[in-house]
Amino acid sequence: MGTYDLKIREHCVSDTLSDGETHERCPGSNQVVVIDIDVRRWQAAQDRLLRDAMPQENRRAARQYYKPIQAPAAPVSHIRAQVTLETARQSYLAHRKGCSGCVGGQHCRDGGVLARRFVIALRQEPAEREARERQERQERRVARALAEQWLAGRQRQWVKYGGPVVEAAKTAVPSVSRALSPNSAALSCP
């Protein structure tokens, strides 16, 4: 009592027996089973087997999630962007060329908006040009000041690290290079 002999049960080679046939036992029947695996490894193997045996459609999500469709782009006349004279002119002329409602001096709703934008850009262009020129002059002044500071810094470095030491190094280098040149007598083979 208390001990079990784990064995593979007896089974036949064939499931069906015809009349008059003898029971033919499988050679793998009645073998002793040795259990030499710990519970965690057995559970991991079982989980893998169950996962592999599961049909593919059950492992996937039931629904597919599609990316949302983007809203159509707003018409050019509704876009609030920085308007330059050239972009306003090009968008107005492109609209006039393709629109059947913009004929002669008449405009459709979008054509009227684009025409007003072009007129406003025409009026603001001189002031914007002057502001750009002022900005460029200021940037040139700052760049010139930075260049002068850099030059003064380099001059201070030259005074600190230059002078007689650098001049002595300059004169010493050619004599060393002459001694190491291939035509030198010191390196020639006998």
Side-chain angles (χ1 to χ4, degrees):
M1 208 171 177
T3 61
Y4 292 97
D5 288 336
L6 299 175
K7 293 183 180 183
I8 297 175
R9 71 173 182 83
E10 271 190 45
H11 54 280
C12 298
V13 173
S14 171
D15 289 338
T16 58
L17 291 176
S18 300
D19 290 331
E21 287 187 22
T22 59
H23 177 72
E24 191 173 324
R25 195 171 68 107
C26 176
S29 295
N30 209 19
Q31 290 186 3
V32 177
V33 177
V34 178
I35 299 176
D36 61 349
I37 186 170
D38 63 316
V39 176
R40 269 185 273 161
R41 278 188 22 214
W42 178 80
Q43 186 64 42
Q46 290 299 315
D47 289 345
R48 184 182 53 79
L49 288 172
L50 288 174
R51 188 177 57 244
D52 290 345
M54 190 185 312
Q56 189 175 15
E57 56 271 3
N58 292 350
R59 290 194 308 252
R60 295 182 183 262
R63 261 185 81 140
Q64 285 187 344
Y65 294 99
Y66 296 101
K67 291 183 180 178
I69 298 173
Q70 294 181 351
V76 176
S77 62
H78 296 185
I79 295 174
R80 294 281 180 207
Q82 181 168 356
V83 179
T84 62
L85 181 62
E86 186 59 28
T87 58
R89 186 179 74 79
Q90 286 178 356
S91 61
Y92 173 65
L93 292 177
H95 176 78
R96 288 275 302 193
K97 187 177 181 181
C99 181
S100 61
C102 295
V103 181
Q106 300 296 319
H107 296 291
C108 69
R109 193 185 87 206
D110 290 340
V113 170
L114 291 172
R116 281 190 292 282
R117 249 188 223 176
F118 180 55
V119 170
I120 290 170
L122 271 174
R123 290 180 185 157
Q124 292 176 347
E125 179 62 24
E128 288 178 359
R129 188 180 320 121
E130 179 62 32
R132 277 195 306 270
E133 288 172 359
R134 264 188 270 125
Q135 178 69 26
E136 288 171 359
R137 281 194 303 267
Q138 178 64 26
E139 288 173 359
R140 284 194 300 267
R141 272 190 230 116
V142 168
R144 198 175 317 122
L146 288 174
E148 290 171 1
Q149 289 175 2
W150 181 81
L151 183 59
R154 291 298 276 172
Q155 288 173 346
R156 282 193 305 272
Q157 286 178 347
W158 183 254
V159 167
K160 184 176 179 181
Y161 298 111
V165 175
V166 173
E167 294 301 323
K170 279 184 187 176
T171 58
V173 170
S175 63
V176 170
S177 63
R178 264 192 311 249
L180 296 177
S181 67
N183 296 334
S184 173
L187 295 178
S188 61
C189 296

